[in-house]
Amino acid sequence: MLFRSQMSGGEDPTCRKFLGQTTINDVLANPNNYPVFRRLKYLNALRKRSLGLMRGTQNPTKITYTANGISFVREYSGITIVVGTTRSGETFTKSSIPNGTYINISDPSQTTNVTTGSISFTVSAHEVECWQYGASVSGSALTRPTP
């Protein structure tokens, strides 16, 4: 592809070298100094807990945009994931979802029972919440990174 060859890194798998090994080593040794790294590490941990997040399809009719956030539903092999994220904190409601017990992926001890095909949940500013139906979630609560 022509555009790839014109971009820095193009088809080169080592295109991240511009960060420099010194910077990479510092991030790994001192992750608390790098809030973006902490946030990405947390989001990757959430994703690893759910096949629905990793492989699910997103129905365009189940995406809701607000002035400060977004919520959506992903589905995969009987697993339904409801996700919300926001800049300022807000409550999301998603409807037309299966009834049953939904588990908070970041803290499996938190559950909510859906009986009307609708779930409401509050997301704090600069956070993400993921609720899963149809599969268990293992592990203890994840520590949310500070901004």
Side-chain angles (χ1 to χ4, degrees), residues 31-51:
N32 289 332
N33 295 340
Y34 297 89
V36 172
F37 177 79
R38 291 192 318 269
R39 175 67 56 186
L40 289 173
K41 189 174 178 180
Y42 174 75
L43 293 174
N44 283 334
L46 282 178
R47 193 167 183 264
K48 285 179 182 178
R49 287 186 169 201
S50 170
L51 279 175

Side-chain angles (χ1 to χ4, degrees), residues 111-127:
T111 62
T112 188
N113 195 30
V114 171
T115 59
T116 61
S118 181
I119 187 172
S120 291
F121 57 98
T122 301
V123 182
S124 300
H126 307 288
E127 290 294 340

Side-chain angles (χ1 to χ4, degrees), residues 5-25:
S5 63
Q6 295 172 348
M7 294 175 63
S8 175
E11 305 222 13
D12 180 2
T14 61
C15 66
R16 292 187 178 116
K17 279 189 175 181
F18 69 90
L19 291 173
Q21 193 60 48
T22 302
T23 302
I24 292 169
N25 290 344

Side-chain angles (χ1 to χ4, degrees), residues 46 49-50 53 81 103-108 130 132 137 142:
L46 282 178
R49 287 186 169 201
S50 170
L53 280 176
I81 303 288
I103 303 167
N104 186 326
I105 295 175
S106 64
D107 183 358
C130 305
Q132 176 171 279
V137 176
L142 295 174

